[in-house]
Amino acid sequence: MKITQLYTYPIKSLRSVPLNSAVLTPHGFPHDRRFMLIKIHNSNPVPRSKSHLNGNLENMTVTYYPELALFLQSIEEASGTFTITYTPPDGETKSLEIPLEPELGSLEKVDVSLHQSPAKAYKMEERVNAWFSTCFGYDVILVYLGPYRRPVLGNLSPNVAQNQSTGITSWLASATPSLSNMMGGKKKEEEDGITFADLAAYLVVTEESLQNVSSRFSDGTEMDVTKFRPNIVLSGAREAFEEDYWGGITIHSSSESTKIVLTQNCARCVSINIDYSTGKAATGEAGNALKKLMKDRRVDEGNKWSPIFGRYGFLEPTKEGDGRKIAVGCEVDVSKVNGERTTFEWPGLSTN
């Protein structure tokens, strides 16, 4: 197999940034989902999802706020900035430049929790928050993780997944430091911690599975892979959804090989039905993408009501440390195949 596409998402739920190459870190690509938009409610909102609410603050994700799809992102590494471009279908296009790594000294700290996984973050300066608030027409803030990370819960962590395969229960494995933690003296959140990516550092999908989704549309619609929010897209799988059983992949670059441990399935929601040009639910066949997958892709007993597409993964630690680089065109092997599909667990999200 080969890598055909790589993506990062500086602000969670905004449009993707395609990459030709990327550096692998334990927490995802260097700029992946270090920022997140939060809506401020002047009164307590009617809860939509416990995982998206924190007091009067609501994490903004494209599932609940499809208008987030109207914001494009581009990275300018040379200047250390990224640009957000707002593209309303019936309004004026405008842009904002933001540092990839803001100065933290003057920024206020806030508590953020996403899918029951908490972290500290920094509230961005008023010029940034005011710009977004004007675009949305209500009060929002942009928060930045800085050095902080969210803990990996349930059985998503490679440490827990490995212990489960040897018969140790997930709650015990979550409380037990991994061998590498004990040897290297790292805290668990430093090793396994994630950014504002939902549940894992990486998401891997295949072109073959994407083609299967497109084949379900009778009007010739081609499914947009970025609606699935992948980091790594592969081609050359023997069949669609073969990756359901993968326990790991090895990526071969010119100078080294890197392993990504694949721990759990990714369950899908109505976000794949969104029309990115309007920021609303799509019409026609594209608006039924989730329903079409419901027919035969509800294959995870831990997420029995949601269809599965793609696998969550984490960088396997090595003695050489971080800084390994991958690129479009790199060859990829499946390094582990599970005998059966994994069963998803995450507090508050499991549907057993």
Side-chain angles (χ1 to χ4, degrees), residues 80-284:
T81 63
F82 68 109
T83 299
I84 306 301
T85 302
Y86 178 48
T87 61
D90 299 313
E92 178 185 358
T93 297
K94 55 183 179 179
S95 298
L96 174 72
E97 188 176 84
I98 302 173
L100 285 165
E101 298 182 6
E103 292 291 336
L104 304 180
S106 61
L107 300 181
E108 173 189 352
K109 284 186 183 181
V110 294
D111 292 314
V112 179
S113 183
L114 176 64
H115 302 310
Q116 320 297 325
S117 174
K120 294 285 185 183
Y122 294 87
K123 176 182 174 182
M124 292 294 288
E125 66 265 30
E126 183 55 27
R127 75 168 182 94
V128 173
N129 299 327
W131 187 87
F132 279 108
S133 296
T134 299
C135 292
F136 287 109
Y138 47 79
D139 290 338
V140 304
I141 59 173
L142 182 67
V143 297
Y144 170 62
L145 266 177
Y148 299 109
R149 297 292 178 265
R150 297 166 45 232
V152 180
L153 306 180
N155 62 359
L156 271 288
S157 163
N159 300 317
V160 179
Q162 174 61 34
N163 286 329
Q164 279 194 316
S165 69
T166 58
I168 302 175
T169 59
S170 60
W171 69 265
L172 176 60
S174 296
T176 305
S178 67
L179 179 61
S180 60
N181 284 342
M182 291 186 285
M183 293 176 63
K186 289 186 177 181
K187 295 180 181 178
K188 188 175 187 302
E189 61 269 23
E190 291 176 345
E191 188 167 274
D192 289 342
I194 50 176
T195 62
F196 290 131
D198 276 346
L199 307 178
Y202 296 97
L203 181 63
V204 177
V205 307
T206 69
E207 299 272 10
E208 287 70 26
S209 297
L210 181 70
Q211 292 165 9
N212 179 281
V213 178
S214 294
S215 72
R216 298 169 187 239
F217 299 133
S218 60
D219 62 357
T221 295
E222 294 289 332
M223 188 67 187
D224 180 353
V225 73
T226 66
K227 292 184 181 181
F228 291 107
R229 302 278 158 172
N231 297 110
I232 301 171
V233 183
L234 305 177
S235 70
R238 290 171 298 182
E239 59 185 8
F241 307 117
E242 175 191 333
E243 62 271 22
D244 286 5
Y245 295 91
W246 294 351
I249 57 173
T250 301
I251 303 172
H252 304 283
S253 65
S254 58
S255 59
E256 58 193 353
S257 295
T258 301
K259 288 187 178 181
I260 293 181
V261 182
L262 302 177
T263 61
Q264 295 299 328
N265 302 305
C266 182
R268 296 303 172 171
C269 65
V270 294
S271 65
I272 65 172
N273 292 343
I274 296 170
D275 182 340
Y276 277 12
S277 66
T278 64
K280 298 179 181 179
T283 58

Side-chain angles (χ1 to χ4, degrees), residues 17-61:
V17 177
L19 304 171
N20 291 319
S21 62
V23 174
L24 294 163
T25 82
H27 316 294
F29 293 153
H31 307 303
D32 193 31
R33 284 166 275 213
R34 265 50 174 183
F35 295 83
M36 181 170 66
L37 284 160
I38 295 179
K39 183 177 181 179
I40 301 174
H41 292 270
N42 295 321
S43 59
N44 289 331
V46 176
R48 306 170 187 221
S49 166
K50 290 181 180 179
S51 65
H52 286 265
L53 289 170
N54 183 21
N56 70 330
L57 303 179
E58 183 179 6
N59 305 329
M60 296 179 68
T61 65

